[in-house]
Amino acid sequence: MARLHLFDLDGTLLHGTSAPREISRQLGLEAETVALDRAVSTGLIEPPEYAVRVHTLWANLTEDHVAAAFEGAPWLSRIRDVWAEIRSRGEYCAVVSLSPSFFVERLTGWGAHAAYGSRFPAVPFTEPMDPAGVLSAAAKVVIADRLCAEFGVSRSACVAYGDSLSDKDLFAVVPTSVAVNADDHLAGLATHAYAGRDLWDAYELVRHSS
């Protein structure tokens, strides 16, 4: 049976950082976003409030800023190799992240079958942020089920890769999971754990499992 590999973005595919932090770096606003990252990761604020705040911070954001953030981010190595291998096996790979969709969706160009993020207005912003479009940990499970239906894969054939609180719900409902450079929120939940900067090595933990 084909499997569906579900990848988180912040702290998982991106090493030690988040998409909003990398975007903010381009605007000279990294410190402000680091504080917001810390607040949402510890549960002090919820994802919708986080999104509204970064949307306000990014009043002067342009597509050039987004492109520079994406290209300059500290990605784990061999992401495209892993996704090419998954495709060659007749399996599926997708990214599901709370980060802005305009950043996350760029990963389809690297070989992901699908990429979902929180819905933000088009860049440059001329519209307000709608908190209803912001994803949550629970929404990751909903999207995973939607992708299972789309690709004809059962939840029992899913593999999740993540690092933090936003991945906890997904890890709880799939049979196989890989904690990648993870924090304590995933302790005891993951079937495998990886620390390092090479996605292929994390993938190898589940590559030959069924």
Side-chain angles (χ1 to χ4, degrees), residues 21-34:
R21 192 181 305 183
E22 295 306 305
I23 293 166
S24 292
R25 192 193 308 275
Q26 300 298 319
L27 297 167
L29 297 169
E30 184 182 6
E32 291 86 342
T33 307
V34 168

Side-chain angles (χ1 to χ4, degrees), residues 82-137:
V82 169
W83 293 349
E85 160 74 3
I86 289 171
R87 282 177 169 270
S88 75
R89 295 165 64 95
E91 299 182 348
Y92 303 94
C93 51
V95 182
V96 185
S97 170
L98 274 59
S99 277
S101 55
F102 60 75
F103 189 96
V104 181
E105 289 168 0
R106 288 173 174 261
L107 288 166
T108 58
W110 286 12
H113 286 91
Y116 286 86
S118 294
R119 292 195 308 274
F120 273 65
V123 177
F125 299 145
T126 58
E127 300 175 4
M129 180 70 202
D130 181 1
V134 178
L135 300 187
S136 63

Side-chain angles (χ1 to χ4, degrees), residues 20 32-33 35-37 39-41 43-58 98 118-120 129-136:
E32 291 86 342
T33 307
L36 289 174
D37 277 357
V40 76
S41 67
L44 292 177
I45 63 174
E46 295 299 316
E49 181 179 351
Y50 176 94
V52 169
R53 291 193 187 187
V54 294
H55 174 266
T56 301
L57 279 178
W58 296 340
L98 274 59
S118 294
R119 292 195 308 274
F120 273 65
M129 180 70 202
D130 181 1
V134 178
L135 300 187
S136 63

Side-chain angles (χ1 to χ4, degrees), residues 173-198:
V173 300
V174 300
T176 307
S177 54
V178 183
V180 179
N181 298 314
D183 62 26
D184 293 341
H185 289 106
L186 299 184
L189 279 179
T191 49
H192 303 276
Y194 170 73
R197 302 193 65 164
D198 190 330

